[in-house]
Amino acid sequence: MCGIIGYIGQRKTAPILINGLAKLEYRGYDSAGICVLEDQELKTIKKKGMIAELAKDKNINNLSAVLGIAHTRWATHGEPNERNAHPHFDCDGNIAIVHNGIIENHQALKKLLEKHGHKIKSDTDSEIIAHLIEKFYKDDLEEAVIQALNLIEGAFGLAALHKNENRIVVARRGSPLIIGVGDGEMFVASDIPAILEYTKRVIYLNDDELAVIEKDKYQIKKLTGENVDKEIHEIKWTVDQIAKQGYKYFMLKEIFEQPEALLNTLRGRIKENQIKISVDLDITKIKRIIIVACGTSWHSALIGKYLLELITGIKTEVDYASEFRYRQPIVDSDDLMIVISQSGETADTLAALKEAKKKGAKTLGIVNAVGSTITREVDTGIYLHAGPEIGVASTKAFTSQVLALIIFALNTKQNQGEKIDKEIIRELANIPDKISQALKQDKKIIKLADKFKDAKNFLYLGRGFNFPVALEGALKLKEISYIHAEGYPAAEIKHGPIALIDKNMPVVFIATKSNLSQKIISNMQEVKSRNGIIIALVNKGDKDIKKIADHVIEVPETLDEFSPIINVIPLQLLAYHIADLKNLNVDKPRNLAKSVTVE
Ligand code: G6P
């Protein structure tokens, strides 16, 4: 986690760094800091809290430097305060560093450094790096960084300055870092949005690579010393695409963008009633699929299991990436691991992927962020093409992930020598339009949100394909409104959650048509007879459920296996409006970050 940006060129660096940090705030916002090199002096300003606090500091405007680095923090070691904010310095204040990642052996290194007289001022693991660089510094920052990093165990995206050197030295292992190539100016950042306003020409650093950046040149090396030639990628996203475009929050914009996002996921992938994707995989060699992911992506993974087993008949398992990586899983070369990740940078997902690769599994990524680390690690993959997702709570990435899983499952079926029913292809192509229809429930959902915004607890219940949708609905609500919410398979409530039901408990049922409809109605009766308040998601024209439910939200009908994509829309809106009516910062929920690049 944490966001890094650096600049070297001819322009005043401070406004560029502050602007870039604001675009990286989704990576954490516990504290922020900036350090520039001016008249051979390192000048630093740090603030606790969001980037707006740092931007408010009057001294920022007085900085005229054309070289600097900056950081927005998501705390892992040491509480979020000014002392622990980056940049961090060596003893003499000659070296400044910003760091994203975790130094696992920082305690041992700290002891060693203290023995040699270093005074460590913060509680962070990151400060150790500045002191190590100091220890090795002999008029060459690059060399000192290499020697320091040799001693470090753990993850880093790092940018370093020395007051006597007109360059930025950066390096990565495990935490993302890109270089932006401008005209007589260079940038470094954790992610593209930070620099997109200034350049669209980007180089992705790989693990164990280091770059020395000057205003009109750069040199990239491996940490072992060999030079590396890297391709410059032209970024297609526009600045406009990552702005809010009139919506109050990115999350709302991204909810309403879903018809277009999913059209983009489908684009070019249906031709002549067939699915066409270029996945480099011999499916006949695969005996089992394992899907790993975290958070919302894990919910789409669960739907993926239902889909893949139904459509392809291939045994499929789902694991939390954080569990998979440490439980000594049994994996071999007959297995396909699918990793699902919006950012393509989630540390646990990446580690699970590496573990499966080590054990010989084939790997496939379902990822949104083009060029991200996971996309470079997998054997093959499917991009979501959903466009940048900035709101911390994932919305359009979830629906496009489920769509990508459907596409993959149908494509696999074709590769197994079976034909796909034309009706299924037609229904698939209709999904974006059906999402637009579901979005029309917005006004009704605002009224419901107003009614339930003060509830203390919520239950979300669904069955089959819509059990993971219940989990996702509950996750959306708790992460942005801080209302306690739980998702359950509807039939499971009698094994515990039913004890919670009383007249104050809103229970959201995902009750669109399926072969389990009658069973869902029985589950509703169980809630009703205990005075629970039922909010039911139903297909248009459903009369039976309307008789039992206190409130209904109608969505268009589709195939049961496609229904999670449509059904999650009202749940995203409900969570959004409840949080907004409670005046909460929807895009930046407390304690959360968009991209979790530490375990
Ligand atoms: C964080 C985000 C979630 C996301 C999860 C996995 O927790 O807040 O929205 O679902 O990470 O991220 P990924 O980028 O791997 O999908």
Side-chain angles (χ1 to χ4, degrees):
M1 210 89 53
C2 305
I4 291 175
I5 178 163
Y7 173 83
I8 177 163
Q10 298 134 9
R11 292 191 260 179
K12 231 171 126 172
T13 187
I16 294 173
L17 297 182
I18 298 287
N19 190 17
L21 281 186
K23 306 273 167 41
L24 292 176
E25 213 171 21
Y26 73 88
R27 300 182 63 83
Y29 33 83
D30 290 332
S31 64
I34 177 174
C35 174
V36 300
L37 180 58
E38 204 167 292
D39 309 325
Q40 288 217 323
E41 206 190 311
L42 293 175
K43 295 190 174 165
T44 306
I45 304 172
K46 301 185 195 187
K47 283 280 175 301
K48 181 181 174 197
M50 295 198 179
I51 285 127
E53 295 304 313
L54 180 68
K56 265 190 238 158
D57 192 300
K58 290 194 191 72
N59 294 320
I60 292 272
N61 296 331
N62 300 333
L63 301 172
S64 60
V66 294
L67 196 183
I69 54 177
H71 185 271
T72 179
R73 178 167 186 249
W74 186 79
T76 58
H77 290 75
E79 67 176 81
N81 57 26
E82 208 166 301
R83 189 167 53 86
N84 288 330
H86 297 221
H88 289 290
F89 294 86
D90 62 326
C91 295
D92 299 334
N94 294 336
I95 295 161
I97 64 106
V98 288
H99 167 238
N100 166 204
I102 291 179
I103 308 303
E104 285 164 8
N105 57 341
H106 74 278
Q107 292 292 11
L109 292 171
K110 186 175 174 186
K111 267 195 197 143
L112 190 90
L113 285 161
E114 284 176 338
K115 245 193 206 160
H116 287 84
H118 289 257
K119 290 220 157 36
I120 313 289
K121 295 172 213 84
S122 74
D123 310 317
T124 66
D125 51 339
S126 307
E127 188 188 342
I128 302 299
I129 307 174
H131 289 270
L132 280 179
I133 297 174
E134 178 182 34
K135 187 170 159 48
F136 293 115
Y137 188 80
K138 288 195 189 85
D139 296 329
D140 183 350
L141 182 60
E142 178 191 342
E143 195 42 47
V145 167
I146 292 177
Q147 290 193 41
L149 294 182
N150 270 339
L151 293 183
I152 278 172
E153 287 163 22
F156 50 82
L158 174 79
L161 298 182
H162 190 286
K163 80 174 178 56
N164 296 338
E165 298 193 25
N166 241 336
R167 52 189 191 155
I168 310 175
V169 177
V170 303
R172 84 158 261 178
R173 180 185 295 154
S175 302
L177 216 52
I178 54 160
I179 298 169
V181 181
D183 209 2
E185 56 185 3
M186 297 280 177
F187 304 81
V188 56
S190 303
D191 199 359
I192 295 163
I195 59 167
L196 195 59
E197 217 171 304
Y198 312 105
T199 181
K200 294 193 173 226
R201 303 176 69 220
V202 160
I203 298 166
Y204 298 99
L205 278 194
N206 279 335
D207 276 353
D208 292 309
E209 285 178 351
L210 166 139
V212 179
I213 303 171
E214 295 178 52
K215 77 174 168 23
D216 38 24
K217 62 176 190 212
Y218 59 85
Q219 195 186 12
I220 303 173
K221 286 184 176 175
K222 293 208 167 134
L223 282 176
T224 45
E226 311 96 87
N227 284 340
V228 192
D229 238 1
K230 306 276 292 193
E231 194 187 338
I232 299 182
H233 297 260
E234 196 74 34
I235 300 301
K236 301 231 164 57
W237 292 350
T238 61
V239 177
D240 213 32
Q241 268 179 299
I242 51 173
K244 278 189 227 154
Q245 291 171 358
Y247 286 96
K248 185 167 176 189
Y249 285 105
F250 279 113
M251 182 183 176
L252 191 62
K253 171 181 169 255
E254 287 155 9
I255 291 174
F256 275 88
E257 250 171 20
Q258 287 176 102
E260 193 193 329
L262 270 71
L263 264 181
N264 286 334
T265 308
L266 277 178
R267 198 175 302 282
R269 288 169 169 168
I270 301 179
K271 277 183 200 146
E272 294 149 8
N273 285 316
Q274 286 219 308
I275 304 292
K276 294 262 161 58
I277 47 170
S278 48
V279 163
D280 182 14
L281 178 75
D282 182 356
I283 201 69
T284 58
K285 302 225 165 85
I286 301 301
K287 300 231 165 63
R288 176 178 69 157
I289 297 174
I290 307 161
I291 318 181
V292 296
C294 301
T296 287
S297 299
W298 184 77
H299 295 155
S300 53
L302 280 184
I303 298 170
K305 171 186 164 71
Y306 285 65
L307 281 167
L308 284 158
E309 293 199 335
L310 177 83
I311 297 174
T312 71
I314 303 174
K315 188 174 161 207
T316 305
E317 292 169 15
V318 177
D319 235 321
Y320 282 114
S322 53
E323 288 299 310
F324 181 89
R325 65 184 287 192
Y326 288 120
R327 71 169 169 77
Q328 300 185 350
I330 298 165
V331 180
D332 59 38
S333 55
D334 295 335
D335 291 324
L336 169 68
M337 169 173 274
I338 300 182
V339 285
I340 306 180
S341 175
Q342 188 288 128
S343 61
E345 301 292 353
T346 303
D348 283 325
T349 310
L350 189 57
L353 165 65
K354 286 183 176 163
E355 179 69 22
K357 267 175 85 171
K358 209 165 68 192
K359 294 190 157 150
K362 308 276 172 309
T363 58
L364 179 145
I366 296 185
V367 175
N368 194 32
V370 175
S372 54
T373 311
I374 288 177
T375 67
R376 285 177 281 132
E377 285 282 339
V378 287
D379 298 324
T380 187
I382 304 174
Y383 274 124
L384 300 180
H385 299 309
E389 192 181 69
I390 309 287
V392 166
S394 183
T395 52
K396 64 176 179 173
F398 174 75
T399 44
S400 56
Q401 284 164 352
V402 178
L403 187 58
L405 284 159
I406 294 172
I407 291 170
F408 175 67
L410 293 175
N411 186 252
T412 302
K413 189 172 172 175
Q414 275 170 200
N415 293 342
Q416 289 168 326
E418 292 193 44
K419 267 194 96 171
I420 314 289
D421 205 337
K422 274 187 194 161
E423 281 306 305
I424 292 186
I425 299 279
R426 193 170 310 141
E427 195 49 33
L428 190 62
N430 280 338
I431 286 179
D433 187 49
K434 291 195 173 175
I435 295 178
S436 300
Q437 293 174 44
L439 285 167
K440 291 197 176 125
Q441 296 294 311
D442 191 40
K443 289 213 170 70
K444 183 163 188 187
I445 294 169
I446 294 176
K447 285 191 190 137
L448 270 182
D450 198 35
K451 224 179 188 58
F452 291 106
K453 65 178 188 303
D454 298 318
K456 297 277 175 280
N457 299 286
F458 258 84
L459 262 183
Y460 286 73
L461 304 176
R463 303 192 70 150
F465 282 98
N466 283 296
F467 152 53
V469 176
L471 294 179
E472 177 60 8
L475 177 66
K476 285 288 87 81
L477 187 71
K478 66 186 143 199
E479 66 184 336
I480 59 171
S481 76
Y482 318 141
I483 294 174
H484 170 243
E486 288 188 50
Y488 258 92
E492 273 291 306
I493 50 165
K494 41 187 154 334
H495 300 292
I498 204 160
L500 299 169
I501 291 172
D502 62 15
K503 64 179 178 11
N504 299 314
M505 175 70 97
V507 184
V508 179
F509 272 94
I510 299 125
T512 48
K513 279 179 203 152
S514 74
N515 57 355
L516 292 173
S517 290
Q518 279 314 315
K519 297 196 184 294
I520 278 266
I521 292 178
S522 308
N523 299 140
M524 273 185 197
Q525 299 287 10
E526 291 158 11
V527 170
K528 188 81 187 164
S529 54
R530 284 153 184 93
N531 298 322
I533 311 161
I534 297 179
I535 303 168
L537 209 70
V538 299
N539 287 134
K540 269 188 188 145
D542 189 315
K543 290 197 186 102
D544 297 343
I545 293 178
K546 272 188 186 159
K547 284 185 210 143
I548 315 169
D550 299 280
H551 306 276
V552 293
I553 305 170
E554 290 186 330
V555 288
E557 194 175 338
T558 181
L559 299 174
D560 188 27
E561 57 267 40
F562 296 174
S563 67
I565 299 181
I566 316 289
N567 293 347
V568 78
I569 304 288
L571 306 188
Q572 295 171 343
L573 286 169
L574 184 65
Y576 170 83
H577 288 301
I578 289 180
D580 185 37
L581 287 165
K582 288 168 94 77
N583 283 322
L584 297 167
N585 186 342
V586 174
D587 281 341
K588 289 173 191 149
R590 69 184 180 206
N591 306 337
L592 296 179
K594 180 79 183 153
S595 182
V596 183
T597 53
V598 294
E599 67 170 294

